[in-house]
Amino acid sequence: MTRVHNFNAGPAALPLPALERAQRELLDYDSTGMSIMEHSHRGKAFEAVHDEAISLVRQLLDVPDDYHVLFLQGGASHQFAMVPLNLLPPGKSADYILTGGWSEKAYQEAGRVGTVRIAASTEVDKRYTRIPRQEELQLDPSAAYLHMTTNNTLFGTQWHWLPDTGNVPLVADMSSDFLWRRIDVRRFGLIYAGAQKNIGPSGVTVVLARKDLIDGGRKDVPVIFRYATHAASNSLYNTPPTFAIYLVRNVLAYTVETGGLDEMERRNRHKAGLLYGAIDERPDFFLAPVENESRSFMNVVFRLPTEELEKRFVTEAAREGMVGLAGHRSTGGIRVSIYNAIEVTSVERLVEFMKAFVARA
Amino acid sequence: MTRVHNFNAGPAALPLPALERAQRELLDYDSTGMSIMEHSHRGKAFEAVHDEAISLVRQLLDVPDDYHVLFLQGGASHQFAMVPLNLLPPGKSADYILTGGWSEKAYQEAGRVGTVRIAASTEVDKRYTRIPRQEELQLDPSAAYLHMTTNNTLFGTQWHWLPDTGNVPLVADMSSDFLWRRIDVRRFGLIYAGAQKNIGPSGVTVVLARKDLIDGGRKDVPVIFRYATHAASNSLYNTPPTFAIYLVRNVLAYTVETGGLDEMERRNRHKAGLLYGAIDERPDFFLAPVENESRSFMNVVFRLPTEELEKRFVTEAAREGMVGLAGHRSTGGIRVSIYNAIEVTSVERLVEFMKAFVARA
Ligand SMILES: Cc1ncc(COP(=O)(O)O)c(C=O)c1O
Ligand SMILES: Cc1ncc(COP(=O)(O)O)c(C=O)c1O
Ligand SMILES: [Mg+2]
Ligand SMILES: [Mg+2]
Ligand SMILES: [Mg+2]
Ligand SMILES: [Mg+2]
């Protein structure tokens, strides 16, 4: 078996040991004579897995006790609707900062639920190449919440500071940089993240939410859409995606084993440093659209002088076992997603390839 | 490795060959050098799996061309809200037939979205022991739809005929008997089923929907909740639960290999016949609450003379490798779930055990 170097943007590569563990126990979980996915979600075996997954998130991020940790279904796109359905009552308005395609979608979906306002946008000609500065934000001090996208998967930008929102709860879509390093959870009212980039397979979304915020959420919406419902039943209101949660457990347990988030941040900074280093060495060939201070540590995007060269780059890299390098269909170019599971050695291989590619181009 | 006889109500047992296939290719799907769950949902590998899963459903049920086959997230409970959000516009009313705990929940959730009406209920003292007869149904001829639960997982009843609804679309929750045998899809406007009983792991829900019905659905709700959104993008509007869909593919491919739904129905009838036979042989000991014509082929429920005996039954069966036999926490008693994946030999073992248990009780 040869595993490739997988730079997919999501669903993305998972740590091999987490997959090997799943493979080993796929037919017989912990000598119970069945797969974890054949266990009842209300039985002891799954309960232990579920509890472990929650406490790993709590441990890794130092989640304060007055925050819930929920595992929900529907993806981040489902949260685009669930956030305003819970936190945006009639008569109030919510602020959105637009920094990419996903924040646009979050904003548009919220607009179908209630009143929304753009607090800032860095869009120029349908492209986003930077994160705004605090002084550019036009915050509504009475907003129900302020929504931001901490890492912009399509455009390769990332927030490296947090807006000061006063008393307005900060809501963050962290789908593509959740757990890439420590954060101060207290700065947020609610965080959500689809698992399929940094911490697991698709099919499960992690939500961290301040208890008072969601307890005070709207009651005039279907029970299944209320955070309070899922919080009150520890994400067991209905059948959770048990196998996806089990895999998140495997990934997070492995993260702790390999040194936790400090080590993760060190590796992630090192990987991004290697790539941006290679790009900056040949600015005539690797065209980086993103402003330096806004560069993402998760999705490194660049263009080559011609689309023809971009195609060759992707094809020739694939031939050498490096896949997932084509930019998003809406942006084109090259995108290298280097989430937590991507090994430093994979990035080193790619950097070598980039150098050789320039040399022969 | 010893696999147990797993009579769980859901998540439930899966066919061993479907799991073995997943195990074999977990680290390297089809020589691509990565797990299917590490593939992009928009790439060729997953596309082939997804298309195969859809066409297996189409093939097994002879789904007419004017029906969509969708794979959604959120479980059947999510459908409880999604059905009225799409099909129940303001000014209309929807009919619900109550035959158990799940149809009650579907009815209550729809009541949070719009106007609902009970077309029939067989509830007596909070219990449901039968399916109504056509003449008991008080159908509203102008209803937006009529909702029914084809198999009642908690109470062990199942519809063995379909109500005549005239022009009113029939919407069915088939979570616990989807694909147990052929059905005439044309009789339904929309069918939904959580995968975790008959066809896969939890985390994915199959929806079959008549195209004109969902194309004409409400447009005043968030895009993510509209069937039309998912239909227009072949369930790829956002990231689907790729691994869960892959497992459904494995299960359905195995179903076809082993003879399709005719063979499945034959086996399911045989298994249920064995169990009801054992029950009826000792009606003084095995107390079957469900009326004969309403008995479920999927969930066989009975009581023993005392709760004490019920506990012993569950414990002693577990000692002999038969698990998942305790009734739902809301009903008590014994429940034997014999979905598609449960082998005839498992049921034979249980029947032997039942006979020995009576003999020594
Ligand atoms: C930042 C961000 N938000 C939201 C989404 C949408 O997630 P999902 O497909 O799980 O709905 C993505 C997916 O790539 C993303 O990167
Ligand atoms: C008939 C029926 N409907 C709905 C549900 C709820 O499904 P979920 O937990 O996937 O929301 C169940 C679960 O057991 C069920 O049996
Ligand atoms: Mg995506
Ligand atoms: Mg973006
Ligand atoms: Mg259940
Ligand atoms: Mg029921």
Side-chain angles (χ1 to χ4, degrees):
Chain A
M1 179 198 70
T2 323
R3 298 253 308 164
V4 294
H5 303 283
N6 177 357
F7 298 104
N8 272 338
L14 293 171
L16 185 58
L19 286 174
E20 284 171 338
R21 183 176 182 183
Q23 186 180 44
R24 265 197 313 277
E25 46 197 39
L26 198 74
L27 307 181
D28 184 10
Y29 175 75
D30 200 18
S31 303
T32 55
M34 46 176 132
S35 180
I36 189 67
M37 71 183 102
E38 300 176 298
H39 274 277
S40 169
H41 56 300
R42 304 197 187 277
K44 281 193 191 120
F46 179 71
E47 192 184 20
V49 166
H50 187 208
D51 286 350
E52 190 185 341
I54 293 170
S55 50
L56 284 163
V57 173
R58 288 200 175 278
Q59 176 190 339
L60 285 163
L61 282 181
D62 237 325
V63 179
D65 285 346
D66 57 330
Y67 282 71
H68 292 290
V69 177
L70 308 177
F71 289 112
L72 303 181
Q73 293 186 65
S77 302
H78 192 258
Q79 296 303 310
F80 294 169
M82 215 165 143
V83 164
L85 279 173
N86 280 268
L87 305 181
L88 181 51
K92 294 281 274 181
S93 166
D95 271 1
Y96 279 73
I97 303 179
L98 305 192
T99 50
W102 296 114
S103 33
E104 279 179 11
K105 284 208 166 164
Y107 166 73
Q108 287 156 4
E109 191 76 307
R112 292 179 195 107
V113 174
T115 307
V116 286
R117 213 183 131 260
I118 298 178
S121 167
T122 54
E123 184 254 334
V124 177
D125 290 339
K126 310 226 175 256
R127 307 200 144 256
Y128 294 85
T129 57
R130 64 182 188 86
I131 297 301
R133 278 157 257 291
Q134 175 85 40
E135 62 272 21
E136 292 178 85
L137 307 183
Q138 309 208 316
L139 301 181
D140 170 2
S142 64
Y145 58 83
L146 171 68
H147 182 280
M148 69 184 294
T149 312
T150 52
N151 184 76
N152 299 283
T153 326
L154 311 178
F155 291 102
T157 65
Q158 189 177 23
W159 289 75
H160 300 299
W161 59 280
L162 285 178
D164 183 353
T165 62
N167 286 323
V168 173
L170 184 58
V171 172
D173 175 0
M174 286 194 191
S175 293
S176 51
D177 66 353
F178 189 59
L179 289 179
W180 85 282
R181 67 173 177 110
R182 288 173 189 279
I183 51 162
D184 181 2
V185 174
R186 287 225 168 277
R187 298 288 302 271
F188 300 89
L190 190 146
I191 291 167
Y192 62 90
Q196 69 266 20
K197 285 117 175 26
N198 262 338
I199 62 160
S202 60
V204 62
T205 306
V206 186
V207 173
L208 308 187
R210 226 177 55 217
K211 288 182 178 172
D212 65 315
L213 192 64
I214 65 177
D215 291 350
R218 289 172 61 179
K219 301 280 178 285
D220 58 338
V221 299
V223 280
I224 191 81
F225 299 148
R226 299 182 204 163
Y227 291 117
T229 301
H230 299 286
S233 53
N234 192 28
S235 305
L236 292 171
Y237 171 70
N238 72 324
T239 320
T242 54
F243 193 69
I245 293 170
Y246 159 81
L247 271 160
V248 167
R249 191 284 305 259
N250 287 5
V251 171
L252 299 187
Y254 177 70
T255 305
V256 167
E257 269 171 43
T258 50
L261 292 192
D262 291 333
E263 172 61 13
M264 193 56 85
E265 178 173 3
R266 198 192 59 72
R267 284 190 207 177
N268 283 332
R269 288 191 183 276
H270 180 52
K271 291 184 290 182
L274 290 173
L275 277 169
Y276 286 118
I279 288 167
D280 292 340
E281 222 172 273
R282 290 299 300 266
D284 55 316
F285 193 82
F286 297 115
L287 315 168
V290 171
E291 160 192 282
N292 270 17
E293 309 86 83
S294 301
R295 283 177 165 182
S296 168
F297 286 83
M298 298 285 105
N299 310 97
V300 176
V301 305
F302 56 89
R303 307 225 47 150
L304 302 191
T306 67
E307 288 194 13
E308 162 64 28
L309 279 167
E310 288 171 353
K311 269 195 201 132
R312 262 182 51 203
F313 185 93
V314 170
T315 313
E316 293 179 12
R319 227 177 274 142
E320 298 188 27
M322 287 169 278
V323 305
L325 293 167
H328 190 265
R329 59 211 157 106
S330 67
T331 62
I334 307 293
R335 172 172 56 176
V336 191
S337 297
I338 45 174
Y339 301 123
N340 288 359
I342 282 68
E343 299 288 346
V344 173
T345 50
S346 291
V347 176
E348 287 169 347
R349 271 291 295 280
L350 181 60
V351 165
E352 264 172 55
F353 170 80
M354 286 167 70
K355 291 186 176 172
F357 191 85
V358 189
R360 71 176 175 268
Chain B
M1 179 198 71
T2 324
R3 297 252 309 163
V4 294
H5 303 283
N6 178 357
F7 298 105
N8 272 338
L14 293 171
L16 185 57
L19 286 173
E20 284 170 337
R21 182 176 183 182
Q23 186 179 44
R24 266 197 314 275
E25 47 197 38
L26 199 75
L27 307 182
D28 184 10
Y29 175 74
D30 200 18
S31 304
T32 56
M34 46 177 133
S35 180
I36 188 68
M37 71 183 100
E38 300 177 296
H39 273 277
S40 168
H41 56 300
R42 304 197 187 278
K44 282 196 189 114
F46 179 71
E47 191 184 22
V49 166
H50 188 207
D51 286 350
E52 190 185 342
I54 293 170
S55 51
L56 284 163
V57 173
R58 288 199 174 277
Q59 176 189 342
L60 285 163
L61 281 182
D62 238 324
V63 179
D65 285 345
D66 57 331
Y67 282 71
H68 292 290
V69 177
L70 308 176
F71 290 112
L72 304 182
Q73 293 186 64
S77 302
H78 192 259
Q79 296 303 310
F80 294 169
M82 213 165 145
V83 164
L85 278 173
N86 280 269
L87 305 181
L88 181 51
K92 293 282 273 182
S93 165
D95 272 1
Y96 278 73
I97 303 179
L98 305 192
T99 50
W102 296 113
S103 34
E104 279 178 11
K105 285 209 165 163
Y107 167 73
Q108 287 156 4
E109 191 75 309
R112 292 178 195 108
V113 173
T115 307
V116 286
R117 216 183 128 260
I118 297 178
S121 167
T122 54
E123 184 255 336
V124 176
D125 291 340
K126 312 229 174 250
R127 306 199 144 257
Y128 294 85
T129 57
R130 65 181 190 86
I131 297 301
R133 278 158 257 290
Q134 174 86 39
E135 61 272 19
E136 291 178 84
L137 308 183
Q138 310 209 314
L139 301 181
D140 169 3
S142 64
Y145 59 83
L146 171 68
H147 183 279
M148 69 184 293
T149 312
T150 53
N151 184 77
N152 299 283
T153 326
L154 311 178
F155 292 102
T157 66
Q158 188 176 24
W159 288 75
H160 300 299
W161 59 280
L162 286 178
D164 184 354
T165 62
N167 286 323
V168 174
L170 184 57
V171 172
D173 176 0
M174 287 194 191
S175 293
S176 51
D177 65 353
F178 188 60
L179 288 179
W180 85 282
R181 66 173 178 110
R182 288 174 189 279
I183 51 163
D184 180 2
V185 174
R186 288 224 168 278
R187 297 289 302 272
F188 300 88
L190 190 146
I191 292 167
Y192 61 90
Q196 69 265 22
K197 285 116 175 27
N198 261 338
I199 62 160
S202 59
V204 61
T205 306
V206 186
V207 173
L208 308 188
R210 226 176 56 217
K211 289 181 179 173
D212 66 315
L213 191 64
I214 65 177
D215 291 348
R218 289 172 61 179
K219 301 279 178 288
D220 58 338
V221 298
V223 280
I224 191 81
F225 299 148
R226 299 182 204 163
Y227 291 117
T229 301
H230 299 286
S233 53
N234 192 29
S235 305
L236 293 171
Y237 172 70
N238 72 325
T239 321
T242 55
F243 193 69
I245 292 170
Y246 159 81
L247 272 160
V248 167
R249 190 284 304 259
N250 287 5
V251 171
L252 299 187
Y254 177 70
T255 306
V256 168
E257 268 171 43
T258 51
L261 292 192
D262 291 332
E263 172 62 12
M264 193 56 84
E265 177 174 3
R266 198 193 58 72
R267 285 191 207 175
N268 283 332
R269 289 191 182 275
H270 181 51
K271 291 183 290 182
L274 290 172
L275 276 168
Y276 286 118
I279 289 168
D280 292 341
E281 220 173 274
R282 289 298 301 266
D284 55 316
F285 192 83
F286 297 115
L287 316 167
V290 171
E291 159 192 283
N292 269 16
E293 309 85 84
S294 301
R295 283 176 165 182
S296 168
F297 286 83
M298 298 285 104
N299 310 96
V300 176
V301 305
F302 55 89
R303 308 226 45 149
L304 301 191
T306 67
E307 289 194 13
E308 162 63 28
L309 278 168
E310 288 171 351
K311 269 193 201 135
R312 261 182 51 203
F313 185 93
V314 170
T315 314
E316 293 179 12
R319 226 176 277 143
E320 299 189 27
M322 287 168 280
V323 305
L325 292 166
H328 190 265
R329 58 208 158 110
S330 67
T331 60
I334 307 292
R335 171 172 57 175
V336 192
S337 297
I338 46 173
Y339 301 122
N340 288 359
I342 282 70
E343 299 287 345
V344 172
T345 50
S346 292
V347 176
E348 287 169 347
R349 271 289 295 279
L350 180 60
V351 165
E352 265 172 55
F353 169 81
M354 286 167 71
K355 291 186 175 171
F357 191 85
V358 188
R360 70 176 175 268

